[in-house]
Amino acid sequence: MGGFFGVISKNDCVPDLFYGTDYHSHLGTSRGGLAVKNGDGIQRHIHDITTTQFRSKFEFDIKQMHGRSGIGVISDYESQPLIIGSHLGVYAIVTVAAVSNLAELARGAFGNRATHFSEMSDLGINPTEVVATLINQGGSFAEGIQIAQQTVRGSCSILLLTDEGLYAARDRLGRTPVVIGAKEGAHAAAVESCSFPNLGYEVKRYLGPGEIVRLTPEGVEPVQAPGGRMQICAFLWVYFGFPASCYEGINVEEVRYRCGMALARRDNAQVDFIAGIPDSGTGHAIGYATQSGIPYRRPYVKYTPTWPRSFMPQDQAVRDLVARMKLIPIRSMIENKRILFCEDSIVRGTQLKDAIRIIYDYGAAEVHMRPACPPLVFGCKFLNFSRSKSELDLAGRKAILEIEGKASVDPADYINPDSDKHAAMVERIRQRMGLTSLKYQRLEDLVSAIGLPKDRLCTYCWDGAEHADW
Ligand code: SF4
């Protein structure tokens, strides 16, 4: 998905920029980048972070960087920030975007023969550069950002580092969050509010969908008011987001507790203890254990010293290997036990299947699984959701394919959790995973655990509901 952090201050901003960006490391796997503005112009560094953490890659660079405003990004695909020379002046840009009409926009740009793209080093047109060409069509940064927001299909949140200050813009339907923080003499904009507390920032406010603001060290100036429609990604609370963060003022960990509690309220499993598949399953499991009164245990412990959550290589085989190496089972806690695991979701299910097999190998008597959201049957087309490349890889879709014997089936028939088809799909997944039992969260329980009206949330992955105007 990716994440960004920007700051503008009366003092040097580099330490805040460095650590603030680093707190977005769980959101991206490919590139990290920082840009700062000073009297010499814009200084920039970009590194490949596929095999090394962001912090270790930039430790040397930041000693040479100085400036009072800057932007940083953790990116799933493209190299960023880009430095753009335009009629608006020289500026730096980062985006958290999934530009689904990228080819069409590029073709449109080539129609104007004066336009070219120069950021081709990632073996394709850089989406952030395309967004910059849209911004450059405006008579001002405000107008240019509005053009980009109206033109991009998918989602596109933006930070611009300019002579006028720092522009922060949330994508038109607010699928991704942008939060503004403040401390004495400085303002910051981020995707993750968890980047603020240890840097001394207080949350000032959450930008609304499509809202644009300009930050200066002294304040936050409104540029474009928020739109009325919102489709924030519900999966942020289930899986993507960091537990200490809030979106729309709603904390991730608290939602996970409530998800676990909702699962327990509809369950009657007779087990010895509850466990979470680390990391994101942990909050759900604590909620389940609290509600059910069944003890919470950690039969799997994550080896955090060298396998942090942020290390998620793009290559699926390597990711599966990393996932296996990270989690270490404890035989004495597992042997002869009936264990109920809470998990954020079952996306493809391959890593989870390995984890379940290991639990059985270590002597578990029963393994029950309770995902905190319904089965995923529609591939995300609004964010760069790197956990699944193809819709047919999704565990729910694979099960439907097995049942129906063909891919050209409307998965909508399988969505109703009270239908026989849904039960058959879940049973297929249960058998493939080798589980004693499998029960998914109901969508209405997930929505109520988040606490926003359903029509303010994107729930497309589970029910295929989409806003006509995306
Ligand atoms: S489709 Fe799923 S992952 Fe994508 S924005 Fe919607 S809820 Fe989030």
Side-chain angles (χ1 to χ4, degrees):
M1 180 182 135
F4 59 47
F5 183 93
V7 55
I8 186 159
S9 172
K10 287 182 177 166
N11 304 304
D12 188 78
C13 74
V14 171
D16 284 6
L17 178 65
F18 174 57
Y19 291 109
T21 305
D22 183 59
Y23 277 126
H24 292 76
S25 292
H26 55 288
L27 292 176
T29 57
S30 182
R31 299 282 186 275
L34 297 175
V36 285
K37 190 164 179 43
N38 56 39
D40 299 327
I42 296 177
Q43 265 185 297
R44 176 189 71 170
H45 292 278
I46 298 173
H47 289 293
D48 182 328
I49 54 167
T50 48
T51 56
T52 314
Q53 293 171 346
F54 171 85
R55 252 194 347 271
S56 46
K57 284 278 187 173
F58 285 83
E59 256 161 5
F60 175 74
D61 299 324
I62 58 162
K63 293 187 180 116
Q64 298 162 349
M65 296 178 91
H66 63 97
R68 294 183 178 173
S69 58
I71 54 177
V73 69
I74 302 287
S75 184
D76 247 341
Y77 296 100
E78 72 266 40
S79 297
Q80 308 183 57
L82 303 184
I83 302 174
I84 307 291
S86 76
H87 73 99
L88 297 167
V90 176
Y91 66 94
I93 177 172
V94 294
T95 64
V96 170
V99 184
S100 57
N101 55 341
L102 186 69
E104 184 192 323
L105 293 176
R107 269 197 309 276
F110 289 141
N112 166 8
R113 293 187 182 180
T115 302
H116 69 274
F117 296 111
S118 55
E119 297 287 339
M120 302 294 289
S121 55
D122 295 329
L123 301 179
I125 291 175
N126 184 313
T128 299
E129 190 175 18
V130 173
V131 173
T133 64
L134 296 171
I135 291 171
N136 297 343
Q137 290 173 20
S140 63
F141 285 115
E143 198 181 295
I145 294 169
Q146 286 161 1
I147 292 169
Q149 285 175 323
Q150 292 304 322
T151 314
V152 167
R153 283 174 69 82
S155 61
C156 182
S157 290
I158 303 165
L159 290 182
L160 297 186
L161 180 63
T162 77
D163 285 342
E164 302 168 8
L166 191 68
Y167 283 88
R170 187 174 175 192
D171 70 272
R172 186 164 51 90
L173 291 175
R175 293 195 195 272
T176 51
V178 179
V179 58
I180 305 298
K183 69 178 179 184
E184 182 59 36
H187 283 85
V191 168
E192 290 285 31
S193 64
C194 70
S195 57
F196 289 162
N198 292 340
L199 299 175
Y201 293 86
E202 293 287 341
V203 170
K204 196 168 167 99
R205 65 192 184 85
Y206 299 87
L207 293 191
E211 186 172 3
I212 307 171
V213 294
R214 186 172 67 94
L215 306 183
T216 63
E218 294 81 20
V220 183
E221 177 192 300
V223 173
Q224 174 172 268
R229 292 169 317 212
M230 184 168 73
Q231 291 284 280
I232 185 168
C233 170
F235 217 14
L236 281 164
W237 283 279
V238 175
Y239 167 70
F240 288 129
F242 200 74
S245 279
C246 298
Y247 316 117
E248 309 301 315
I250 301 169
N251 175 255
V252 172
E253 186 73 351
E254 289 193 42
V255 170
R256 292 181 184 169
Y257 287 162
R258 292 198 286 270
C259 276
M261 292 171 88
L263 282 165
R265 273 196 290 274
R266 290 188 190 268
D267 211 354
N268 58 358
Q270 304 297 308
V271 295
D272 296 308
F273 64 83
I274 311 300
I277 302 286
D279 285 317
S280 36
T282 304
H284 302 298
I286 293 172
Y288 189 111
T290 305
Q291 177 69 33
S292 64
I294 303 170
Y296 170 77
R297 296 274 186 275
R298 292 200 304 155
Y300 254 135
V301 181
K302 190 168 164 188
Y303 192 76
T304 49
T306 54
W307 296 112
R309 183 176 190 256
S310 58
F311 183 66
M312 291 289 280
Q314 291 280 329
D315 182 276
Q316 193 59 52
V318 184
R319 284 166 75 108
D320 291 348
L321 176 71
V322 169
R324 198 165 68 247
M325 289 301 150
K326 275 182 187 174
L327 295 179
I328 305 175
I330 305 171
R331 187 182 294 277
S332 61
M333 293 186 75
I334 295 171
E335 225 158 28
N336 301 318
K337 294 291 192 299
R338 298 167 303 166
I339 309 170
L340 186 147
F341 282 97
C342 289
E343 163 70 320
D344 51 73
S345 58
I346 300 176
V347 181
R348 294 163 66 248
T350 47
Q351 291 174 6
L352 192 58
K353 193 174 172 187
D354 280 351
I356 293 162
R357 186 184 47 72
I358 291 168
I359 290 278
Y360 278 125
D361 288 350
Y362 273 68
E366 295 177 7
V367 180
H368 306 258
M369 192 63 61
R370 300 293 181 265
C373 63
L376 293 144
V377 287
F378 296 93
C380 177
K381 50 189 182 180
F382 312 113
L383 308 177
N384 285 325
F385 180 12
S386 62
R387 284 177 80 191
S388 78
K389 298 273 183 236
S390 156
E391 202 164 62
L392 292 175
D393 282 344
L394 298 170
R397 283 302 270 274
K398 261 191 273 182
I400 295 171
L401 179 63
E402 282 171 22
I403 293 165
E404 301 277 353
K406 56 184 183 199
S408 58
V409 173
D410 185 356
D413 294 344
Y414 286 82
I415 292 166
N416 178 355
D418 299 318
S419 69
D420 291 344
K421 287 200 165 186
H422 183 91
M425 173 180 66
V426 173
E427 175 58 14
R428 281 278 169 160
I429 300 170
R430 184 197 71 76
Q431 285 173 5
R432 188 174 335 113
M433 310 288 279
L435 292 160
T436 310
S437 76
L438 171 64
K439 272 192 199 173
Y440 281 87
Q441 184 84 281
R442 293 173 73 100
L443 187 55
E444 68 262 33
D445 287 349
L446 170 59
V447 169
S448 114
I450 293 170
L452 289 172
K454 182 172 182 305
D455 65 359
R456 306 280 289 163
L457 290 167
C458 178
T459 56
Y460 177 81
C461 342
W462 304 293
D463 64 0
E466 59 184 311
H467 202 290
D469 179 27
W470 67 276

